[in-house]
């Protein structure tokens, strides 16, 4: 028995009009919008991470044409997915404690960072320009330089509840 496709609706919040519907094979559990790049990431119940190009001028135009979409990969935890504010990079927890870092347009080879996962999911946050990544899990906070593909530093023994980077990518904000 084939189930009906699931739908993400793009709605004009001022009028309530449905501008587009994005069909998915499974329920969508997470949405991440990047207004600066007219981009939307979706994560479904199987962990599929998909990107949708949503040019605002085309959303308001009539017509059946759907937005361009592509698959970025599979995550083991929807909460781990992050995207840079400029829409250039996405990061998420993959299998076996790997963090997958991808340029959203697929022009660069994906970067796989090995992190030992224990009891909690690995949280990720990308700098606004996608050049740095912070990760947190099992009490260890790490900062990665993506261009150099290296760990810039780690701080162990922290009971973190949340992480974020400021708009300039210069300050990490840690919740305890």
């Amino acid at each position: 028995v084939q189930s009906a496709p699931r739908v993400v609706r793009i709605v004009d919040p001022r009028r309530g009009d449905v501008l587009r519907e994005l069909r998915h094979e499974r329920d969508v559990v997470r949405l991440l919008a990047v207004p600066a790049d007219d981009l939307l990431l979706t994560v479904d119940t199987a962990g599929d991470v998909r990107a949708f190009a949503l040019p605002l001028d085309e959303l308001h135009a009539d017509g059946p044409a759907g937005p361009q979409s592509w698959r970025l990969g599979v995550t083991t935890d929807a909460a781990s997915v992050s995207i840079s504010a400029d829409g250039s990079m996405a990061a998420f927890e993959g299998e076996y404690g790997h963090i997958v870092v991808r340029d959203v347009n697929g022009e660069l080879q994906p970067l796989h960072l090995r992190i030992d996962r224990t009891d909690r999911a690995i949280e990720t946050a990308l700098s606004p320009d996608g050049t740095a990544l912070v990760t947190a899990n099992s009490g260890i906070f790490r900062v990665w330089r993506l261009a150099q593909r290296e760990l810039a530093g780690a701080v162990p023994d922290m009971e973190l509840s949340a992480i974020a980077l400021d708009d300039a990518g210069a300050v990490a904000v840690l919740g305890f």
Side-chain angles (χ1 to χ4, degrees):
V1 176
Q2 188 173 4
S3 63
R6 308 315 195 276
V7 175
V8 170
R9 288 192 176 100
I10 310 298
V11 177
D12 182 333
R14 296 164 294 192
R15 297 189 316 253
D17 297 338
V18 175
L19 303 173
R20 287 284 186 264
E21 291 187 343
L22 310 175
R23 298 195 181 280
H24 288 72
E25 293 179 19
R26 293 171 288 274
D27 290 335
V28 173
V29 295
R30 183 127 192 248
L31 299 169
L32 295 103
V34 182
D37 205 26
D38 298 339
L39 187 70
L40 175 70
L41 293 189
T42 65
V43 185
D44 70 21
T45 54
D48 273 348
V49 181
R50 296 195 63 80
F52 289 84
L54 299 169
L56 292 178
D57 55 340
E58 292 178 20
L59 285 178
H60 290 279
D62 290 332
Q68 178 186 3
S69 72
W70 58 99
R71 187 171 183 255
L72 294 178
V74 178
T75 183
T76 57
D77 190 324
S80 75
V81 180
S82 64
I83 188 163
S84 60
D86 67 1
S88 64
M89 302 294 283
F92 51 88
E93 181 180 355
E95 292 185 323
Y96 311 114
H98 284 160
I99 295 297
V100 179
V101 183
R102 300 235 10 214
D103 80 299
V104 173
N105 292 323
E107 296 168 359
L108 303 173
Q109 194 69 6
L111 174 61
H112 294 264
L113 306 171
R114 177 80 172 110
I115 298 177
D116 292 326
R117 183 176 199 247
T118 56
D119 57 340
R120 288 186 51 197
I122 301 169
E123 295 181 63
T124 70
L126 284 155
S127 63
D129 63 0
T131 60
L133 170 73
V134 295
T135 60
N137 83 309
S138 304
I140 300 175
F141 170 76
R142 295 176 178 91
V143 179
W144 305 86
R145 288 189 199 109
L146 299 179
Q148 293 83 10
R149 297 180 172 247
E150 67 182 13
L151 179 64
V155 181
D157 301 325
M158 301 176 93
E159 290 299 321
L160 298 174
S161 59
I163 61 172
L165 285 173
D166 73 324
D167 287 341
V171 176
V173 182
L174 311 176
F176 295 92

